[in-house]
């Protein structure tokens, strides 16, 4: 909006337009914005006389801008002093706060440390309970031995009478003379009599091949050999962790030689190791049983009896005929996973070289045995599920193994 003007002093004002007021058009004219003029009212000489004869200033002073008195100056000085004191006090408080903040940090650190200890204990307890909740409980040697059946009872049932130790070597002929076949016996009786016969063999070379499916799959090779004088048992695993174990024992000896070496696969599909370069140590028979779950002369590490076969009464004895026309007998059954593996888990720990034994608490063990009419083993198939703690993780594992008895001389 354009400004209006007025004339000052004794010069008359003239409105030139709606927006501008000026004096007469002389060189002494003064032009000012009307807003400025209105805010600072002009006093003419006539008006000055009307104001009690006192001369007034040309422009009105802003009433809000009073001249400072001595009282006002003292109040202002007091206010400045007060602000200064407060500033100094604020700096002291900041310094005190800094000291308190260091104390607070130490207290917080202590609280966090204590919280970490408590939390660690709680988490450790939870971790241990969850990780080791399925670890099988310990079982005494005496209780484990009670799981076995007395093989003498099987001889009686097969032959019709008790046999002395010397007579047991010829028990098969006596059973046939009695008219007994595997179909007349239970699964546990047939299996234990067949395992007894392996102990009577003049020599054998029994090989097994299998696999373990878990986080990192493993292939498994096993060998049981006897040359008439020395027993040898080999367990080899290939995979993320490849290991080879050998147990050697002379017939009638009370010591076992153990060797741990690097494994190698052979061209015929079997496996071996550089045993001469391996780590060796000697074990007593009891030490070997505790370490490996059995002696090198043990063929099958599972406990198979009427106490460990699940519902043995329902296990069928199937009669089959092989390619050569010979009769064979097949038995399939489930084993109680905890009871049947009390010695086997020791062997598994040795083979895996892990610090903890596997757990069969929530697993299963399925086995199939095939024997011939003379109670000679033909084949054993095993399928099992268990859990193994490795590197702080509980892993579920499924293992399979097929063992064939082709090179046995009775």
């Amino acid at each position: 909006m354009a400004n209006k003007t007025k004339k000052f002093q004794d010069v008359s004002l003239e409105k030139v337009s709606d927006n501008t007021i000026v004096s007469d058009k002389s060189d002494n004219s003064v032009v000012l914005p009307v807003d400025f003029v209105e805010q600072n009212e002009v006093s003419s000489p006539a008006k000055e006389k009307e104001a009690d004869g006192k001369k007034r200033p040309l422009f009105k002073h802003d009433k809000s801008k009073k001249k400072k008195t001595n009282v006002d100056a003292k109040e202002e000085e007091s206010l400045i002093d007060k602000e200064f004191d407060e500033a100094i006090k604020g700096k002291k408080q900041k310094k005190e706060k800094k000291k308190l903040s260091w104390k607070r940090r130490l207290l917080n650190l202590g609280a966090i440390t204590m919280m970490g200890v408590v939390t660690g204990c709680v988490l450790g307890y939870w971790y241990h309970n969850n990780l080791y909740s399925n670890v099988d409980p310990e079982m005494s040697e005496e209780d484990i031995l009670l799981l076995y059946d007395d093989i003498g009872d099987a001889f009686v049932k097969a032959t019709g009478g008790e046999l002395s130790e010397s007579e047991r070597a010829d028990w098969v002929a006596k059973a046939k003379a009695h008219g007994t076949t595997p179909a007349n016996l239970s699964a546990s009786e047939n299996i234990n009599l067949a395992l007894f016969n392996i102990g009577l063999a003049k020599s054998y070379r029994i090989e097994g091949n299998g696999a373990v499916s878990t986080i990192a799959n493993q292939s498994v090779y096993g060998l049981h050999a006897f040359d008439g004088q020395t027993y040898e048992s080999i367990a080899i695993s290939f995979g993320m962790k490849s290991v080879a174990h050998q147990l050697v024992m002379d017939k009638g000896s009370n010591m076992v030689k153990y060797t741990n070496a690097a494994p190698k696969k052979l061209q015929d599909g079997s496996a071996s190791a550089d045993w001469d370069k391996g780590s060796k140590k000697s074990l007593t028979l009891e030490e070997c049983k505790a370490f490996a779950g059995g002696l090198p002369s043990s063929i099958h590490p599972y406990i198979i009896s009427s106490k460990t076969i699940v519902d043995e009464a329902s296990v069928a004895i199937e009669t089959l005929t092989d390619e050569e026309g010979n009769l064979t007998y097949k038995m399939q059954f489930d084993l109680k996973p905890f009871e049947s593996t009390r010695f086997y888990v020791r062997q598994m720990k040795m083979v895996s070289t892990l610090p903890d034994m596997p757990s069969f608490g929530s697993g299963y063990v399925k086995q199939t045995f095939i024997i011939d009419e003379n109670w000679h083993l033909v084949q054993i198939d095993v399928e099992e599920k268990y859990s193994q703690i490795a590197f702080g993780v509980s892993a579920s594992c499924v293992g399979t193994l097929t063992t064939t008895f082709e090179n046995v001389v009775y």
Side-chain angles (χ1 to χ4, degrees), residues 73-312:
K74 289 181 179 180
E75 291 179 353
E76 183 176 356
E77 183 178 354
S78 176
L79 180 61
I80 292 172
D81 292 340
K82 184 178 180 181
E83 292 176 351
F84 180 77
D85 292 339
E86 290 178 352
I88 296 300
K89 185 178 179 181
K91 289 183 179 181
K92 291 182 179 179
Q93 288 178 345
K94 287 182 179 179
K95 289 182 179 179
E96 291 177 356
K97 285 182 179 179
K98 285 183 179 179
K99 292 179 181 179
L100 289 174
S101 95
W102 279 109
K103 292 179 181 178
R104 178 57 58 189
R105 288 179 184 178
L106 291 175
L107 290 173
N108 289 343
L109 180 60
I112 292 171
T113 302
M114 181 60 67
M115 186 180 296
V117 171
V118 174
T119 304
C121 291
V122 173
L123 289 177
Y125 179 78
W126 174 88
Y127 176 78
H128 182 274
N129 281 351
N130 281 272
L131 188 61
Y132 290 92
S133 60
N134 291 325
V135 172
D136 296 337
E138 292 292 332
M139 196 172 188
S140 67
E141 295 289 328
E142 293 78 9
D143 290 337
I144 294 175
L145 293 176
L146 290 175
L147 295 172
Y148 287 93
D149 290 331
D150 186 353
I151 196 170
D153 295 337
F155 286 129
V156 171
K157 188 173 180 180
T159 63
E162 293 186 2
L163 302 177
S164 64
E165 290 293 329
S166 60
E167 291 176 326
R168 289 182 179 183
D170 193 32
W171 76 269
V172 174
K174 291 180 172 59
K176 287 186 174 183
H178 188 64
T180 304
T181 69
N184 303 129
L185 303 178
S186 68
S188 61
E189 290 168 341
N190 282 323
I191 292 169
N192 285 309
L193 289 171
L195 290 173
F196 175 84
N197 279 345
I198 280 289
L200 299 176
K202 297 178 180 179
S203 66
Y204 55 76
R205 184 178 177 85
I206 304 165
E207 294 180 287
N209 288 278
V212 177
S213 300
T214 182
I215 298 173
N217 295 338
Q218 299 276 125
S219 61
V220 179
Y221 172 79
L223 171 68
H224 294 278
F226 177 59
D227 62 3
Q229 179 60 37
T230 302
Y231 295 96
E232 180 185 22
S233 176
I234 293 175
I236 298 176
S237 179
F238 293 96
M240 183 178 70
K241 190 172 185 179
S242 297
V243 293
H245 305 270
Q246 180 192 53
L247 296 171
V248 178
M249 179 184 71
D250 291 334
K251 187 176 181 180
S253 175
N254 59 0
M255 296 298 294
V256 178
K257 297 177 182 179
Y258 167 74
T259 305
N260 178 9
K264 60 181 179 180
K265 291 184 178 180
L266 304 179
Q267 293 182 350
D268 61 0
S270 63
S272 186
D274 294 325
W275 304 118
D276 293 337
K277 299 179 181 179
S279 174
K280 302 177 183 293
K281 66 178 179 179
S282 296
L283 304 170
T284 65
L285 300 185
E286 292 304 317
E287 288 173 341
C288 185
K289 291 177 182 178
F291 173 66
L295 300 176
S297 55
S298 302
I299 299 298
H300 202 58
Y302 301 84
I303 301 173
I304 299 179
S305 70
S306 59
K307 304 179 185 69
T308 61
I309 294 178
V310 177
D311 193 15
E312 184 180 23

Side-chain angles (χ1 to χ4, degrees), residues 1-16:
M1 180 177 178
N3 292 327
K4 297 180 181 182
T5 62
K6 288 185 179 182
K7 187 70 176 181
F8 291 86
Q9 297 178 356
D10 295 332
V11 182
S12 61
L13 300 176
E14 178 183 357
K15 184 177 181 180
V16 177

